[in-house]
Amino acid sequence: MPPAAAPGRRAGRGRTLLLALAGLVVLCALVTVSVANGEMPLPPVEAAKGLFGAGDAGTVLIVQEFRAPRMAAAIVAGAGLAVGGALLQRLFRNPLASPDVMGVTGGASFGAVAMLAAGASQAMIPLAALGGGLLAAVLLGVFGWRSGTSVTRLVLVGLAVQAGLTAAVSFMIVSFPTELAGSALQWTTGSLYGRTWTEVWSAGGAVAMGLALAFALHRRLAVLDLGDDSAGTLGLNTHTARLQVLVIAIVLASLAAALTGPVAFVALAVPHMVRFLAGPPTAGTLALSALAGAVLLLASDLVAQYLLPVSGLPVGVVTATLGAPWLLVLMIRQSSSVNRSAR
């Protein structure tokens, strides 16, 4: 490492650490607000005690059985989506590469809704969502590579895959019996309503394993950043490494979607925010992305529950409202950069 680079790296680590500490403070505050509010508001101190099993039995029941699963699902799904988006953007070196743009979350929705139609238990939803996400990745590979290996083309094919799978989900929903169609429709808009500990533990445990694998692959990603020729010279099998990163990103996004449905914006925007605030990607910024995703999704859910004039809106409405202009700006910037490079 050049001597001049050492102070810059130390400054970057310090900035990442400060941002992580600030994020943890914000997350703790959001957790307290989440467990304290509801149809029966609770004092924040009592709600926090109830979260850890202290206090009276009624408070513990309300907090641990009705409010905490929804809060935990937001944290787990937000972290999984953000890290999945960070991995894809870094792998493809494209700011538009994210699970919701490239069809992965649409595939997860397709798998989960198909499992609901089959009458399977809630514990099977994560597995079905993972299968749907992998199906979307296969479709992306088949149709994307037919058109060439351009990342921009892959993104466009991903949007087409997402639209096609969304249409298939809509067709299934209108074919469902009325009582099943209502729950499926709410799920596909991106909702945390009615989450249970069974769902949180089944999907959350797998997301935690995926996050651990993502951090384990960080060194390979750092080598891939040097370019395929340099990575190959250093002894890295670039094709295997890229496939490993791609699979982990798909797994994280699919399992997160199993908890929340196809929530937009989080996987797309969080990596950009972290790069802007913390600088180039490192293991620390990857952890910061997970924390920022958890904060963003939990905050969006609280906005949907308590700050909007229409009650009962799913969190996906809030994130999609934020994400649509963000995606438009990114596509305009991407188009401008392509036009400049073509001159």
Side-chain angles (χ1 to χ4, degrees):
M1 181 191 304
R9 176 163 292 190
R10 285 196 296 268
R13 289 175 179 172
R15 184 167 60 249
T16 300
L17 180 59
L18 288 176
L19 289 169
L21 291 175
L24 285 173
V25 171
V26 173
L27 182 62
C28 290
L30 292 174
V31 167
T32 303
V33 172
S34 179
V35 296
N37 287 277
E39 294 184 3
M40 183 184 297
L42 298 170
V45 175
E46 295 300 319
K49 289 181 179 179
L51 184 61
F52 295 99
D56 65 90
T59 298
V60 172
L61 177 65
I62 292 172
V63 171
Q64 291 192 348
E65 296 301 322
F66 297 103
R67 298 179 184 176
R70 179 170 184 156
M71 173 268 297
I75 292 174
V76 169
L81 287 170
V83 172
L87 292 177
L88 286 179
Q89 288 179 17
R90 192 173 175 185
L91 181 65
F92 290 111
R93 300 176 186 176
N94 191 297
L96 294 175
S98 73
D100 42 347
V101 173
M102 300 184 75
V104 175
T105 55
S109 298
F110 177 82
V113 171
M115 188 61 70
L116 287 174
S121 66
Q122 290 290 332
M124 295 296 295
I125 296 298
L127 185 61
L130 177 58
L134 292 173
L135 171 64
V138 170
L139 292 175
L140 178 64
V142 170
F143 294 107
W145 263 270
R146 280 185 178 179
S147 303
T149 56
S150 166
V151 175
T152 302
R153 289 179 179 175
L154 287 177
V155 170
L156 294 175
V157 172
L159 289 171
V161 170
Q162 180 88 347
L165 291 172
T166 300
V169 169
S170 299
F171 176 78
M172 284 193 291
I173 289 175
V174 298
S175 303
F176 284 170
T178 304
E179 63 276 6
L180 186 58
S183 60
L185 181 60
Q186 184 183 46
W187 188 88
T188 56
T189 56
S191 176
L192 290 162
Y193 177 78
R195 297 285 79 84
T196 64
W197 281 120
T198 300
E199 297 168 314
V200 172
W201 286 119
S202 58
V207 168
M209 293 177 60
L211 292 174
L213 290 173
F215 287 111
L217 290 173
H218 177 264
R219 289 186 179 274
R220 297 188 182 188
L221 265 175
V223 176
L224 285 173
D225 288 341
L226 301 175
D228 286 359
D229 292 338
S230 298
T233 302
L234 293 173
L236 181 68
N237 187 325
T238 56
H239 296 292
T240 301
R242 290 182 185 280
L243 181 61
Q244 290 172 338
V245 174
L246 180 62
V247 169
I248 293 301
I250 292 171
V251 168
L252 285 172
S254 299
L255 293 173
L259 279 173
T260 64
V263 172
F265 178 66
V266 177
L268 178 68
V270 167
H272 292 277
M273 296 177 183
V274 171
R275 282 195 298 270
F276 176 76
L277 294 173
T282 63
T285 59
L286 192 63
L288 186 60
S289 295
L291 178 59
V295 168
L296 179 59
L297 189 55
L298 183 55
S300 298
D301 188 45
L302 292 174
V303 169
Q305 289 184 77
Y306 305 116
L307 297 184
L308 295 180
V310 180
S311 61
L313 283 177
V315 66
V317 173
V318 176
T319 59
T321 302
L322 295 171
W326 187 282
L327 177 60
L328 180 61
V329 170
L330 285 177
M331 293 187 73
I332 292 173
R333 290 179 59 184
Q334 188 77 359
S335 176
S336 300
S337 64
V338 170
N339 290 336
R340 285 196 299 268
S341 63
R343 291 173 183 173

